[in-house]
């Protein structure tokens, strides 16, 4: 049984690096295969984190929806080392093996400083090995020491016999720990060389796309296609950029050509079906759109079984919390706020994925008195997870949280704000921190225990539109997204997540507010004022220009292309276009439709 609730897309950093080191022991001999990619750095972010110990993270290789083969096993993606670059070994094989075994074990135990110390020792033993420096840089990055990570990557490039390949690999490692500016810098250096791969060009194009630098993205994609005219990812990126430029007919033509190509790899084919579905939906060809999405789901389904099993455990754990975390428990935790001084200004923005959390977060982030953290896993990894040390796998969330002494709670609180500042690269100070992540919905008990002063913002949207939107998304397989492979599974997952909110809200001692997506897009200023009043903040007109603000920052959400536009209403009531497909499941959603006022 899972000890906590689950990560769907990304597992804990502990699991990621631990598996990386395990794989390194078997495949460490050599050089980096350049034509690799890690889903454009996308962590699928979104929305799928759980309370799960490192030892429980999935070890199976995920089926990526967007990319080729990669170098180590990271977050479930398979990265492959190949013995193409021979060099003289300067230290015995066993010495490095022992160090990496010890480092992997230390990381699994959350002894991160010891892991880094062991990797530093490995680097001193074999300083001409770029792979060691890359892994050390990744470890630093996962611990939010970005300056040290960059120094290690720079060292890997200097000692590498194939520096262009290593620059691209450093960019991918930077994506893994969410530092897109660093990733962009390394990829830009890689593609500045004639030896750069088409894969590196496309990955940099996708980074530019996420920063709304579409002209730069187009130039890179064109360059990749001149290099490899049949490159599947470049062709898909070309089609996507046409769609972002509102040239739907040309985008559809390009996607259909790609789908008709038998040489298109399975991952890109899946993503192409999703892209086609979205294009057809925008043109009002709803039955064709549903057929395209079903093609994508069918291609993903064979690899879904292990994720479905994990999801069942997650849903069971949510039910357990509904039974065990009572109103009395929550009141007792809230009353302990005096032991957790100093109190901080914190608002947690959650709800179900595709309910408008990204729109709300970007609005609030535009306010000068607010700092927002978009879909990080710091609350889980650095605040909750350390509290679970020493507990058996069968320990309940209630047992873990109830047993924590004030000293450990204070340490978790301090670590949470410290690592958030490191991640954001800015000081929070006296400003309000808004932590936005739909996955935090099932972490509400942990938030109450750790931050009894926190306020909750719950994003709502018509449940039927939410389920349809989740079904439409081109998400890589993970426990939560495995539910979205069918409309029935999507509805069941919605009922689990929002049923938990409905069960806990009458017992919640913290201030909370529900914000409906439909009200935000139809009455933006009115709803903005209501939310700011709830947060105790004065009105500021910058929140109305959130889309301009969003263009100036990297966006991790799948909604990145939407929130750089002014509010629009085309997604309101979209489910009506697919009523015949949703009809068998509407009864299960009916209680939420009524509870949230969508009758």
């Amino acid at each position: 049984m899972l000890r906590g609730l689950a990560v769907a897309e990304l597992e804990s950093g502990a699991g990621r690096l631990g598996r990386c080191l395990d794989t390194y022991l078997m495949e460490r001999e050599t050089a980096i295969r350049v034509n690799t990619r890690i889903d454009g750095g996308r962590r699928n972010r979104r929305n799928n984190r759980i309370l799960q110990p490192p030892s429980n993270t999935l070890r199976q290789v995920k089926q990526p929806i967007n990319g080729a083969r990669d170098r180590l096993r990271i977050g479930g993606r398979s990265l492959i080392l190949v013995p193409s670059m021979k060099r003289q070994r300067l230290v015995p094989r066993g010495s490095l093996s022992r160090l990496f075994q010890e480092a992997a074990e230390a990381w699994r135990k959350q002894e991160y400083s010891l892991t880094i110390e062991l990797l530093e020792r490995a680097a001193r033993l074999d300083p001409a090995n770029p792979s060691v420096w890359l892994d050390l840089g990744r470890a630093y990055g996962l611990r939010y020491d970005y300056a040290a990570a960059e120094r290690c990557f720079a060292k890997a490039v200097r000692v590498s016999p194939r520096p262009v390949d290593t620059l691209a690999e450093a960019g991918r490692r930077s994506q893994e720990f969410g530092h897109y500016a660093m990733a962009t810098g390394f990829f830009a250096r890689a593609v500045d060389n004639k030896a750069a791969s088409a894969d590196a060009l496309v990955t940099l194009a996708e980074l530019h796309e996420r920063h709304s630098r579409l002209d730069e993205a187009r130039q890179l994609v064109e360059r990749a296609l001149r290099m490899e005219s049949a490159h599947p990812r470049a062709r898909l990126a070309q089609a996507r950029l046409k769609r972002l430029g509102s040239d739907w007919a040309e985008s559809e033509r390009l996607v259909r050509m790609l789908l008709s190509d038998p040489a298109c790899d399975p991952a890109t084919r899946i993503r192409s079906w999703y892209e086609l579905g979205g294009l057809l939906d925008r043109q009002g060809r709803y039955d064709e759109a549903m057929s395209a999405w079903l093609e994508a789901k069918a291609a993903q389904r064979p690899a879904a079984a292990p994720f479905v099993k994990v999801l069942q455990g997650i849903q069971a754990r949510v039910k357990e919390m509904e039974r065990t975390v009572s109103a009395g428990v929550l009141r007792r935790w809230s009353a302990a706020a005096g032991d957790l001084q100093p109190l901080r200004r914190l608002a947690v923005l959650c709800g179900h994925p595709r309910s408008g959390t990204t729109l709300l977060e970007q609005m609030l982030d535009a306010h000068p008195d607010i700092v927002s953290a978009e879909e990080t896993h710091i609350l889980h990894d650095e605040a909750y997870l350390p509290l679970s040390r020493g507990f058996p796998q069968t320990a309940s969330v209630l047992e873990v949280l109830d047993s924590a002494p004030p000293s450990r709670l204070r340490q978790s609180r301090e670590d949470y704000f410290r690592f958030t500042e490191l991640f954001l690269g800015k000081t929070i100070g006296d400003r309000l921190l808004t932590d936005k992540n739909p996955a935090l919905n099932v972490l509400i008990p942990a938030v109450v225990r750790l931050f009894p002063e926190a306020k909750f913002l719950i994003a709502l949207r018509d449940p039927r539109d939410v389920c349809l939107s989740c079904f439409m998304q081109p998400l890589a397989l993970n426990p939560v997204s495995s539910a979205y492979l069918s409309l029935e599974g999507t509805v069941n997952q919605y009922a689990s997540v929002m049923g938990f909110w409905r069960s806990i809200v009458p017992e919640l001692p913290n201030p909370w507010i529900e914000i409906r997506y439909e009200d935000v897009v139809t009455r933006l200023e009115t709803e903005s004022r209501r939310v700011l009043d709830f947060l105790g903040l004065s009105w500021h007109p910058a929140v109305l220009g959130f889309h301009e603000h969003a263009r100036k920052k990297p966006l991790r959400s799948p909604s990145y292309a939407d929130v750089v536009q002014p509010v629009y209403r085309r997604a309101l009531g979209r489910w009506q276009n697919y009523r015949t497909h949703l009809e068998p499941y509407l009864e299960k959603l009916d209680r939420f439709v009524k509870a949230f006022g969508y009758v």
Side-chain angles (χ1 to χ4, degrees):
M1 167 73 81
L2 296 174
R3 177 169 15 194
L5 301 177
V7 221
E9 154 73 0
L10 268 191
E11 299 139 342
S12 76
R16 291 200 303 277
L17 188 67
R19 274 192 315 285
C20 161
L21 298 176
D22 289 343
T23 306
Y24 183 89
L25 292 171
M26 296 181 289
E27 299 178 316
R28 70 189 183 286
E29 276 298 320
T30 66
I32 302 159
R33 184 186 297 266
V34 190
N35 58 342
T36 61
R37 173 172 193 272
I38 299 181
D39 196 24
R42 281 169 236 181
R43 294 177 157 200
N44 197 5
R45 297 166 250 257
R46 302 39 51 220
N47 320 334
N48 298 328
R49 190 63 160 184
I50 59 168
L51 298 168
Q52 177 175 325
S55 57
N56 269 345
T57 54
L58 278 175
R59 303 185 71 87
Q60 291 87 353
V61 180
K62 293 180 185 174
Q63 176 189 10
I65 59 172
N66 197 2
R69 295 187 299 170
D70 297 311
R71 183 179 162 275
L72 295 172
R73 192 166 303 217
I74 309 288
R77 296 183 178 90
S78 176
L79 291 89
I80 301 170
L81 285 171
V82 293
S84 59
M85 184 165 38
K86 299 295 184 181
R87 65 179 182 83
Q88 183 177 2
R89 180 170 295 282
L90 302 178
V91 294
R93 180 190 303 267
S95 299
L96 280 183
S97 293
R98 283 191 297 274
L99 282 174
F100 273 83
Q101 287 168 349
E102 292 172 19
E105 183 60 26
W107 194 271
R108 277 189 286 269
K109 292 178 179 178
Q110 303 174 49
E111 296 174 354
Y112 304 125
S113 296
L114 177 57
T115 298
I116 289 173
E117 178 185 329
L118 291 165
L119 292 177
E120 289 275 15
R121 196 182 308 167
R124 289 194 295 272
L125 280 173
D126 199 2
N129 187 335
S131 296
V132 175
W133 289 107
L134 287 166
D135 286 334
L136 179 57
R138 182 211 325 264
Y140 274 121
L142 289 171
R143 299 310 301 152
Y144 315 101
D145 190 341
Y146 302 124
E150 192 164 17
R151 286 196 301 272
C152 291
F153 293 158
K155 180 69 172 180
V157 174
R158 285 198 299 272
V159 303
S160 175
R162 295 170 61 184
V164 177
D165 299 357
T166 305
L167 282 167
E169 184 63 21
R172 280 185 283 272
R173 303 298 180 95
S174 303
Q175 289 176 300
E176 289 167 25
F177 51 74
H179 201 300
Y180 297 136
M182 191 185 302
T184 301
F186 279 113
F187 276 113
R189 289 173 61 192
V191 305
D192 200 32
N193 190 291
K194 292 181 180 179
S197 68
D199 243 33
L201 288 162
V202 177
T203 302
L204 181 57
E206 290 167 342
L207 286 166
H208 283 315
E209 181 185 326
R210 282 188 166 268
H211 286 76
S212 301
R213 297 193 288 262
L214 299 187
D215 287 339
E216 292 95 324
R218 290 187 186 98
Q219 291 170 14
L220 289 163
V221 170
E222 289 169 3
R223 183 178 158 193
L225 289 171
R226 287 195 299 270
M227 183 182 299
E228 296 183 40
S229 60
H231 192 280
R233 284 184 52 226
R235 294 169 67 188
L236 179 57
Q238 181 187 38
R240 190 171 59 248
L241 289 166
K242 290 290 185 183
R243 186 249 300 164
L244 292 172
S246 299
D247 191 347
W248 299 339
E250 179 62 9
S251 180
E252 181 183 345
R253 185 186 72 82
L254 292 170
V255 172
R256 289 190 182 279
M257 285 180 61
L258 183 55
L259 286 168
S260 67
D261 185 351
C264 180
D265 62 277
T268 305
R269 185 175 299 278
I270 289 169
R271 194 164 185 87
S272 297
W273 279 118
Y274 279 111
E275 182 70 23
L276 180 61
L279 284 164
L280 294 169
D281 174 80
R282 288 293 298 271
Q283 298 174 64
R285 297 155 63 184
Y286 304 118
D287 288 339
E288 292 178 76
M290 180 59 70
S291 295
W293 292 322
L294 291 173
E295 289 282 357
K297 308 294 183 183
Q300 287 183 288
R301 196 167 289 117
F307 302 102
V308 172
K309 185 176 181 180
V310 173
L311 178 62
Q312 291 168 349
I314 296 170
Q315 293 172 341
R317 182 61 69 158
V318 171
K319 286 291 185 184
E320 177 191 81
M321 284 199 299
E322 289 180 8
R323 294 191 304 270
T324 60
V325 181
S326 65
V329 168
L330 293 171
R331 285 196 299 271
R332 175 160 48 80
W333 290 347
S334 180
D339 296 330
L340 303 178
Q341 301 291 335
L343 300 182
R344 303 294 300 264
R345 299 176 72 192
L346 173 65
V348 173
L349 171 54
C350 49
H352 195 281
R354 310 302 300 170
S355 293
T357 54
T358 302
L359 173 59
L360 280 169
E361 186 263 336
Q362 294 303 321
M363 274 174 35
L364 293 172
D365 191 57
H367 194 287
D369 216 17
I370 295 177
V371 177
S372 74
E374 182 196 7
E375 302 195 12
T376 79
H377 305 307
I378 295 172
L379 197 149
H380 172 272
D381 289 355
E382 311 300 341
Y384 170 79
L385 195 58
L387 301 179
S388 68
R389 290 177 189 152
F391 283 88
Q393 298 294 320
T394 54
S396 68
V397 173
L398 173 62
E399 184 180 356
V400 170
L401 293 174
D402 224 14
S403 302
S407 59
R408 292 191 70 181
L409 294 172
R410 286 193 293 269
Q411 186 63 55
S412 283
R413 289 165 57 91
E414 179 183 331
D415 288 345
Y416 169 74
F417 277 93
R418 177 165 60 91
F419 285 121
T420 297
E421 288 186 334
L422 288 172
F423 181 83
L424 296 175
K426 62 178 74 172
T427 301
I428 296 169
D430 292 330
R431 290 179 291 178
L432 172 74
L433 173 62
T434 301
D435 193 335
K436 173 257 178 176
N437 193 333
L440 297 180
N441 208 63
V442 291
L443 271 171
I444 287 174
V447 175
V448 175
R449 181 63 166 138
L450 286 159
F451 301 101
E453 69 270 40
K455 297 182 177 183
F456 290 97
L457 308 171
I458 308 299
L460 299 179
R461 184 182 177 188
D462 188 315
R464 297 158 294 194
D465 276 332
V466 171
C467 289
L468 176 65
S469 185
C470 287
F471 185 79
M472 292 167 56
Q473 297 310 302
L475 302 175
L477 275 178
N478 58 65
V480 170
S481 71
S482 71
Y484 305 156
L485 295 182
S486 69
L487 285 169
E488 180 180 15
T490 305
V491 169
N492 289 338
Q493 175 62 7
Y494 180 90
S496 174
V497 172
M498 297 312 290
F500 179 71
W501 167 245
R502 293 292 302 158
S503 73
I504 202 170
V505 66
E507 305 168 349
L508 192 62
N510 300 56
W512 58 271
I513 186 174
E514 294 177 335
I515 308 105
R516 301 198 332 165
Y517 170 78
E518 293 82 0
D519 295 337
V520 173
V521 300
T522 55
R523 300 191 297 273
L524 179 61
E525 183 172 340
T526 299
E527 285 301 293
S528 300
R529 289 182 180 275
R530 185 171 77 95
V531 173
L532 291 174
D533 283 346
F534 169 76
L535 295 173
L537 295 171
S538 60
W539 167 252
H540 197 285
V543 300
L544 301 181
F546 67 90
H547 52 290
E548 297 291 345
H549 175 74
R551 290 195 182 105
K552 301 173 184 176
K553 54 183 283 193
L555 300 171
R556 296 175 175 84
S557 169
S559 308
Y560 70 92
D562 297 326
V563 295
V564 295
Q565 307 174 43
V567 290
Y568 57 83
R569 305 186 184 190
R570 64 174 179 269
L572 300 181
R574 177 185 271 152
W575 74 272
Q576 297 276 11
N577 302 318
Y578 300 89
R579 176 184 282 274
T580 56
H581 301 281
L582 284 165
E583 194 69 46
Y585 317 110
L586 294 180
E587 184 177 352
K588 187 158 191 174
L589 291 175
D590 189 56
R591 67 185 176 107
F592 300 104
V593 170
K594 292 176 179 176
F596 299 144
Y598 289 100
V599 177

